[in-house]
Amino acid sequence: MTQNIETHFESEIAVIGGGLVGSATAYGLARRGARVLVLDEGDIAYRASRGNFALVWVQSKGLGMPEYAAWTKASAEQWSTLAKSLRDETDIDVAHHQPGGFVLCLSEAEMEARINAMRRLHNQPKMVQYPYEILDHNETKRRLPAIGSDVVGSVFCPLDGHVNSLRLFRALHTAMARLKVDYRPNSPVESIRPDHDGFLINGPWGQARVQKLVLAAGLDNARLAPMVGLHAPVRPSKGQVIVTEKAAPFLHHPMVTVRQTDEGGVMIGDSQEDLDFDTVVTPPVISLMAQRAVRMFPLLAGLNVVRTWSALRVMSPDGFPIYDQSQSCPGAFVVTCHSGVTLAANHTLTLAHHILEGVLPASLEAFSSRRFHVSSAA
């Protein structure tokens, strides 16, 4: 005699991780009517959600994976829709602006390397095409009057922009609350196991049973993914940031390493270090970043530094995102990337839909972690 056991699920879907990637995905799921549980380790987690550079950046993305260039461009094009949705839902303006962005070069060698990189990027098969301009010093000076004489030239792309990332983070969490997302801070996950057509999630806070789950736990995805038959070989990459006092507006376009925020402060970020989980701010790196920024914009020499910090990027072996679904544990997905701001629109407006449908489309197959297991041809 077969006994029918009714399983009680606390939520339709759990998102593990409440940073930018997790909250953008959870918001997208909730706005489609899903009952969502978010388990967030909290502020002790290694994450860049409150320490990123806040760019919505297209140029230079995708060398080695043209699918990433297309995915990035699509997200940048959807960003105004995300900003409006959040403003309508929360009355929070995330200060999204898309005036186009510059990469400034301080030597002929830098300029040549940048031009060659852009040409290699756009010469890739299946590469999505978008406009960019190579500018000499005089044309760059015309568009950016505050640059210094050390700037040799620049590359400009009209698709680039930036936001206020702290407001974005607050808006996403406010929107989740208004859509009745069950957000649980200080809830680290110790284990996950398949259970009765769903998953049983355990932590020091107790346990939760859900039908589907999304791993969006940043660096902790490396530990959690194997529990549900997934692979997320991510590692930390340290970045350091300088913030100056507020100044009169002088920089109306974001740079890849310097930008003036909507509130007037100037952010400088020009470092990448592989130092495991070290997050100590180091004067030699900060000094070099400041020197390069002053060469770009001499007026920065007169501004006081009010804050410095470091944060850890979430990097895969090839630097590209990982989007995958488990074959052995259907209903489990992993979402991880180091461009949480740029890709937030895609995560909310596109990826969440596919997760609710229960299958990732063929267009995202390039982002599967299976790419790390392809054997070299003999």
Side-chain angles (χ1 to χ4, degrees):
M1 179 176 180
T2 302
Q3 182 179 9
N4 291 324
I5 300 175
E6 182 178 350
T7 303
H8 171 67
F9 296 105
E10 292 188 38
S11 294
E12 179 181 354
I13 187 164
V15 176
I16 300 178
L20 276 178
V21 173
S23 57
T25 304
Y27 172 51
L29 295 167
R31 71 196 293 268
R32 287 170 173 78
R35 292 183 299 113
V36 183
L37 166 67
V38 174
L39 298 171
D40 189 8
E41 186 177 6
D43 288 340
I44 63 170
Y46 288 106
R47 65 185 183 201
S49 298
R50 292 191 175 95
N52 62 69
F53 209 60
L55 295 176
V56 178
W57 203 254
V58 176
Q59 68 166 298
S60 75
K61 298 284 187 74
L63 184 57
M65 184 187 281
E67 295 88 350
Y68 182 44
W71 183 243
T72 299
K73 178 175 179 285
S75 195
E77 290 171 343
Q78 291 198 97
W79 237 103
S80 59
T81 301
L82 174 61
K84 182 181 185 302
S85 177
L86 287 170
R87 186 169 58 249
D88 292 344
E89 190 75 51
T90 68
D91 294 324
I92 297 173
D93 181 1
V94 300
H96 171 244
H97 299 287
Q98 193 177 15
F102 289 81
V103 174
L104 301 185
C105 299
L106 294 174
S107 69
E108 294 293 348
E110 282 187 18
M111 191 72 199
E112 183 179 0
R114 175 58 55 178
I115 293 171
N116 288 337
M118 292 297 288
R119 287 174 177 165
R120 291 199 308 275
L121 173 67
H122 284 267
N123 285 338
Q124 294 179 112
K126 301 180 181 179
M127 175 66 189
V128 63
Q129 295 302 308
Y130 57 81
Y132 69 93
E133 298 177 76
I134 298 170
L135 310 176
D136 62 13
H137 172 85
N138 290 336
E139 181 57 24
T140 305
K141 180 79 171 177
R142 188 185 71 80
R143 302 188 192 190
L144 301 172
I147 65 167
S149 58
D150 285 354
V151 175
V152 171
S154 66
V155 177
F156 172 77
C157 176
L159 303 184
D160 296 326
H162 55 161
V163 301
N164 184 311
S165 60
L166 294 181
R167 261 187 254 159
L168 169 61
F169 196 44
R170 180 160 61 91
L172 286 169
H173 277 255
T174 301
M176 287 194 301
R178 294 189 177 178
L179 292 173
K180 309 302 182 184
V181 170
D182 183 2
Y183 172 72
R184 302 183 190 179
N186 306 312
S187 298
V189 171
E190 293 177 339
S191 67
I192 310 168
R193 66 178 176 85
D195 180 74
H196 294 100
D197 297 321
F199 300 91
L200 189 63
I201 306 170
N202 291 281
W205 41 270
Q207 66 179 25
R209 183 173 280 110
V210 299
Q211 292 174 286
K212 298 177 183 177
L213 65 86
V214 178
L215 301 181
L219 294 167
D220 207 27
N221 278 343
R223 177 182 66 89
L224 296 172
M227 298 179 187
V228 290
L230 289 165
H231 183 50
V234 291
R235 59 175 176 79
S237 175
K238 178 181 175 182
Q240 302 191 44
V241 178
I242 301 170
V243 178
T244 74
E245 64 183 316
K246 295 178 181 179
F250 73 94
L251 186 55
H252 303 289
H253 297 265
M255 316 287 113
V256 73
T257 59
V258 180
R259 74 179 193 91
Q260 187 170 27
T261 71
D262 59 300
E263 296 169 339
V266 178
M267 296 182 69
I268 301 165
D270 192 9
S271 71
Q272 185 167 328
E273 304 167 85
D274 295 326
L275 296 172
D276 202 28
F277 287 89
D278 172 60
T279 56
V280 175
V281 173
T282 53
V285 172
I286 291 293
S287 297
L288 181 59
M289 288 164 47
Q291 290 169 13
R292 285 182 59 83
V294 169
R295 289 177 64 195
M296 292 177 181
F297 299 99
L299 62 80
L300 293 176
L303 297 180
N304 293 312
V305 172
V306 297
R307 187 183 174 200
T308 59
W309 72 78
S310 71
L312 299 178
R313 304 176 185 91
V314 181
M315 299 295 290
S316 69
D318 57 11
F320 301 123
I322 299 173
Y323 304 117
D324 220 343
Q325 58 196 81
S326 177
Q327 301 303 310
S328 59
C329 301
F333 299 82
V334 64
V335 178
T336 185
C337 70
H338 75 274
S339 297
V341 175
T342 297
L343 297 178
N346 275 355
H347 293 160
T348 294
L349 303 173
T350 302
L351 186 63
H353 167 73
H354 297 309
I355 290 172
L356 275 184
E357 290 290 310
V359 61
L360 299 183
S363 59
L364 294 180
E365 189 172 329
F367 299 105
S368 169
S369 63
R370 291 189 296 275
R371 69 186 187 266
F372 303 123
H373 301 293
V374 176
S375 300
S376 299

